[in-house]
């Protein structure tokens, strides 16, 4: 009885969290992914997001490949009070092109990040599995080269996020925002 319950719980956690194995796009190009992106969409069942999603706005991401094939990520979002929220990570390459890993000291979690869908001059869907103390959750982000996204693209992001276990109400197209000055 108890093992059955445990197994059911594990299966449920799988569905809700991180068990769909999303592969990166074939022929991933580090060179072409470089540059500035707008953070147009955000989707996760994480509790912090559920309480914050209504006030979140569009930010920017600068992606800078390193000589060694890793990826420097710099995020910036303008807060309502005019200050800037900034965060950087060095995403380390793996044996699979388009898949990177990093540890976040701020959140104290391990991140397994995959470029799941990319049109380099248009958009990228980034799927990240975040694991902290053995618990995993999914974060999907929609990167866009412009601060506008088509309804087709929004629909694609919605569908991808639903397919990876995110509840509809936790899939958000972020409203436009002024930008932070370059750091
Ligand atoms: C969105 O992008 C356009 C074109 O680059 C720019 O003119 C506009 O100021 C941007 N909007 C915001 C809110 O940043």
């Amino acid at each position: 009885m108890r093992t059955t319950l445990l197994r059911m719980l594990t299966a449920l956690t799988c569905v809700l969290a991180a068990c769909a194995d999303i592969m990166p796009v074939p022929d991933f190009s580090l060179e072409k992914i470089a540059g500035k992106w707008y953070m147009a969409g955000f989707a996760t069942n994480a509790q912090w997001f559920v309480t914050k999603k209504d006030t979140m706005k569009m930010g920017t991401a600068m992606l800078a490949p390193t000589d060694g094939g890793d990826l420097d990520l710099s995020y910036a979002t303008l807060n309502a009070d005019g200050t800037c929220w900034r965060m950087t990570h060095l995403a380390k390459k793996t044996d699979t092109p388009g898949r990177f890993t990093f540890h976040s000291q701020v959140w104290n979690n391990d991140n397994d990040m995959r470029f799941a869908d990319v049109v380099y001059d248009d958009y990228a869907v980034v799927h990240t599995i975040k694991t902290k103390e053995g618990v995993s959750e999914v974060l999907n982000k929609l990167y866009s080269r412009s601060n506008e996204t088509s309804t087709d693209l929004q629909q694609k992001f919605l569908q991808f996020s639903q397919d990876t276990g995110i509840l509809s109400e936790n899939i958000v197209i972020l409203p436009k925002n002024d930008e932070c000055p370059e750091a």
Side-chain angles (χ1 to χ4, degrees):
M1 177 65 191
R2 190 176 280 181
T3 49
T4 310
L5 188 62
L6 206 61
R7 217 175 293 137
M8 275 170 59
L9 276 174
T10 309
L12 189 65
T13 310
C14 250
V15 169
L16 297 177
C19 286
D21 201 16
I22 301 296
M23 296 307 290
V25 283
D27 305 320
F28 176 78
S29 166
L30 195 59
E31 214 169 90
K32 290 196 216 159
I33 203 78
K36 181 178 171 181
W37 294 90
Y38 292 90
M39 198 73 65
F42 212 91
T44 176
N45 294 329
Q47 195 50 48
W48 71 265
F49 181 65
V50 172
T51 53
K52 198 169 181 264
K53 62 186 176 185
D54 292 336
T55 59
M56 253 177 89
K57 287 191 171 180
M58 192 181 286
T60 56
M62 285 293 294
L63 271 49
T66 70
D67 291 340
D70 299 329
L71 197 53
D72 255 319
L73 314 168
S74 312
Y75 300 103
T77 305
L78 189 66
N79 296 317
D81 67 359
T83 61
C84 275
W85 175 89
R86 293 181 194 276
M87 181 138 76
T88 58
H89 294 298
L90 178 61
K92 303 226 178 69
K93 68 176 176 190
T94 65
D95 290 342
T96 310
R99 177 177 173 217
F100 298 85
T101 57
F102 62 91
H103 179 79
S104 164
Q105 263 160 7
V106 176
W107 297 85
N108 188 29
N109 58 18
D110 288 304
N111 292 261
D112 181 335
M113 169 182 166
R114 299 138 195 233
F115 286 87
D117 188 5
V118 183
V119 176
Y120 295 96
D121 62 355
D122 187 356
Y123 73 90
V125 175
V126 184
H127 175 74
T128 304
I129 301 162
K130 296 173 167 287
T131 305
K132 183 177 181 173
E133 287 157 5
V135 180
S136 291
E137 62 197 17
V138 166
L139 168 62
N140 295 322
K141 286 183 188 174
L142 177 63
Y143 289 23
S144 169
R145 287 294 189 189
S146 98
N147 60 17
E148 311 262 1
T149 50
S150 67
T151 45
D152 273 3
L153 182 56
Q154 294 177 7
Q155 188 57 40
K156 195 188 275 260
F157 181 65
L158 185 74
Q159 188 63 55
F160 176 85
S161 292
Q162 284 175 340
D163 290 348
T164 49
I166 313 298
L167 303 172
S168 297
E169 67 261 33
N170 295 334
I171 305 168
V172 176
I173 298 300
L174 298 170
K176 269 197 237 178
N177 191 6
D178 286 334
E179 290 177 40
C180 290
E182 305 232 337

